[in-house]
Amino acid sequence: MNQLNSLILEGNLVRDAVLTEPAPGFKKCVFTMGVNRFYKNRNNEPVNESSFFDVEAYNQVAEWCGKKATKGRGVRVVGRLKQDTWKDEAGKSASRIYVIAEHIEYKPAKKSEEAESQAKPQAAGQTEAPAESQTENQPEAQKEAEPVPVEAEAVF
């Protein structure tokens, strides 16, 4: 019987991810994410418990991570735990537990409305009216929604 080592974490990156290539053709991306848990204690007082997890991603997941994983961005990581053990200089055993990401979903990056409206006409080479006037007759939900490719980002 196989034993289970699987987890899902949802939180925010506490610093930008670091993409490296330790060996030719092998990519590794490392980041730390913070996860909050809210609950009420015995006295019915609200408590915010924060945990921080080191995450590593490899190859294609690492490449995408290097492009998308920036400080403050929301992520959902599906992966497994890994433990490294070694002997330190004094001969004592030491260990480290971290997450190996097998799949990462990114919350959409937040852009200021001004930067977004300026970027769209310039990116498309348009010199016409701003995008706001082109969407006057659309419902509010459609005006604010930004199309996101399924492969690029997932909304959760």
Side-chain angles (χ1 to χ4, degrees):
M1 173 170 77
N2 287 332
Q3 296 178 353
L4 182 63
N5 180 3
S6 182
L7 59 84
I8 300 173
L9 294 172
E10 193 171 297
N12 296 313
L13 275 70
V14 298
R15 65 181 65 88
D16 289 345
V18 177
L19 179 66
T20 59
E21 191 168 348
F26 178 73
K27 299 215 179 352
K28 176 180 171 181
C29 188
V30 178
F31 61 89
T32 302
M33 66 183 292
V35 177
N36 292 319
R37 177 176 176 250
F38 300 99
Y39 65 95
K40 291 190 177 185
N41 63 15
R42 291 180 183 174
N43 299 328
N44 207 26
E45 300 167 334
V47 177
N48 178 12
E49 177 182 278
S50 298
S51 300
F52 298 91
F53 300 99
D54 293 328
V55 180
E56 291 186 6
Y58 305 113
N59 297 321
Q60 289 180 335
V61 177
E63 285 183 46
W64 195 246
C65 174
K67 295 175 186 174
K68 305 289 278 184
T70 56
K71 180 179 179 177
R73 184 127 194 220
V75 293
R76 178 182 294 148
V77 174
V78 178
R80 59 188 169 88
L81 293 175
K82 180 162 175 40
Q83 180 180 23
D84 287 343
T85 57
W86 66 92
K87 300 268 185 188
D88 65 9
E89 294 173 358
K92 289 189 172 186
S93 294
S95 68
R96 169 182 170 245
I97 297 176
Y98 56 99
V99 177
I100 302 293
E102 295 170 349
H103 177 76
I104 302 173
E105 296 176 5
Y106 301 90
K107 285 187 179 180
K110 295 179 182 175
K111 298 179 184 176
S112 69
E113 292 179 25
E114 181 180 322
E116 186 176 342
S117 65
Q118 290 177 355
K120 284 184 181 179
Q122 291 173 357
Q126 299 174 352
T127 56
E128 299 175 6
E132 296 168 359
S133 63
Q134 296 172 358
T135 59
E136 284 181 28
N137 297 329
Q138 293 180 355
E140 283 297 316
Q142 289 180 354
K143 287 182 186 178
E144 296 176 12
E146 178 181 336
V148 178
V150 174
E151 304 85 35
E153 298 177 350
V155 177
F156 52 94

